[in-house]
Amino acid sequence: MGLVVAIGLTLFTACGVDTPASSPSSPPPPGTTTVLTTLPQPSPTTSAPPSSAPSSSSRQPKTGKVVVLDPGHNGGNSGRPGEITKQVPAGRGQTKPCNTTGTSTNSGYTEHAFTWDVSQRISQALVAKGIRVILTRQNDTGVGPCVNERAAIGNDAGADAVVSIHADGSNSAGAHGFHVAYSAPPLNAQQGEPSMKLATALRDGLRTGGFPTSTYLGSNGLAPRADLGGLNLSTRPAALVECGNMRNAAEAAAMASEEGRQQYAAVIAKAIEDYLAG
């Protein structure tokens, strides 16, 4: 979520700056959520992301767990500045712009495309384990949702975990590595120990998966934040993953590659599973 391209604002509240449910018996609000319940398991010979279309079959055993994945930004944001710059509640008495455009690599691969692809891959892995997954947006061509709406999706779903996926855009010399943000000081019980455990599980999973921790933000891969709207407004265990710095050549290359995105997704999905099993 780091630097913002096209519009200098902030999202669910991360990307180095700030970025910002449906029940089983009712359809998700149009243009807001997608419930992925039976995506096909990945073939051993392909790492393609799953389709975003929901399915009605139920071949996978259910765990009763619900995960909300929040792919940062959206592909249509840059074309609708009037909508994404409007001020919305962001917690702690603050307001923030509804959303932002996100950052990109120096070669133009966008954060919103990266987060959408990785979130779909995470969805596929979790659904294959019987976990119900809700996405905060349906595609990579829409606008928003606003940060407060993204938080509400997780709250309304009673999610066991809410994980926002982002990438940063720091131009600081040598800046690289991932960090995981969580709301601090906590505003409710779920922002306390549960969110801290989720953030730590994500940090440990990424580090075990071979990803380096941030050299420029946070400490030891964790970043307590009071300015991220989606985290401030959450009443569920929530964390935001800045997968790396899109302005770093090596990390940009990994994010732009299908193999790299699959690796990010696999370790994040495993970390979520470990948290839910904990």
Side-chain angles (χ1 to χ4, degrees):
M1 208 181 98
L3 294 180
V4 177
V5 292
I7 302 173
L9 300 173
T10 53
L11 209 170
F12 181 99
T13 43
C15 295
V17 194
D18 172 58
T19 161
S22 62
S23 68
S25 61
S26 61
T32 305
T33 66
T34 299
V35 180
L36 305 177
T37 53
T38 55
L39 291 172
Q41 295 188 38
S43 164
T45 60
T46 179
S47 60
S51 164
S52 60
S55 169
S56 59
S57 63
S58 56
R59 291 172 292 176
Q60 297 296 337
K62 304 304 178 188
T63 65
K65 300 294 186 179
V66 178
V67 171
V68 169
L69 294 176
D70 177 40
H73 312 282
N74 208 331
N77 284 2
S78 61
R80 305 283 279 277
E83 292 185 40
I84 68 167
T85 60
K86 69 181 180 181
Q87 296 291 303
V88 299
R92 302 183 194 273
Q94 304 175 64
T95 61
K96 295 279 186 177
C98 162
N99 213 286
T100 62
T101 59
T103 189
S104 68
T105 66
N106 290 334
S107 62
Y109 181 63
T110 61
E111 180 186 359
H112 64 76
F114 169 77
T115 65
W116 175 243
D117 184 278
V118 170
S119 293
Q120 288 192 92
R121 293 171 188 272
I122 297 169
S123 296
Q124 185 179 44
L126 295 179
V127 168
K129 297 297 180 70
I131 297 165
R132 181 178 174 225
V133 176
I134 299 172
L135 294 174
T136 60
R137 56 183 173 100
Q138 291 181 319
N139 52 49
D140 195 39
T141 58
V143 179
C146 297
V147 295
N148 58 322
E149 296 170 326
R150 292 175 188 245
I153 291 168
N155 296 344
D156 293 347
D160 296 285
V162 179
V163 178
S164 185
I165 305 299
H166 284 268
D168 214 346
S170 174
N171 285 314
S172 299
H176 70 278
F178 77 86
H179 62 271
V180 183
Y182 58 95
S183 182
L187 298 173
N188 54 57
Q190 293 300 311
Q191 289 181 17
E193 184 177 2
S195 291
M196 189 65 194
K197 284 184 175 179
L198 175 60
T200 302
L202 290 163
R203 187 275 310 276
D204 291 349
L206 282 159
R207 193 161 55 182
T208 300
F211 293 99
T213 56
S214 175
T215 60
Y216 64 101
L217 200 156
S219 176
N220 201 25
L222 296 175
R225 299 281 294 270
D227 61 326
L228 303 185
L231 299 182
N232 286 340
L233 295 171
S234 181
T235 59
R236 308 304 304 161
L240 187 151
V241 181
E242 292 282 8
C243 292
N245 184 14
M246 297 192 94
R247 300 301 173 84
N248 173 273
E251 292 184 335
M255 292 180 194
S257 73
E258 188 167 326
E259 181 181 2
R261 295 192 298 273
Q262 182 61 27
Q263 185 179 3
Y264 274 112
V267 299
I268 292 172
K270 177 61 165 55
I272 295 171
E273 292 174 41
D274 289 345
Y275 168 77
L276 294 176

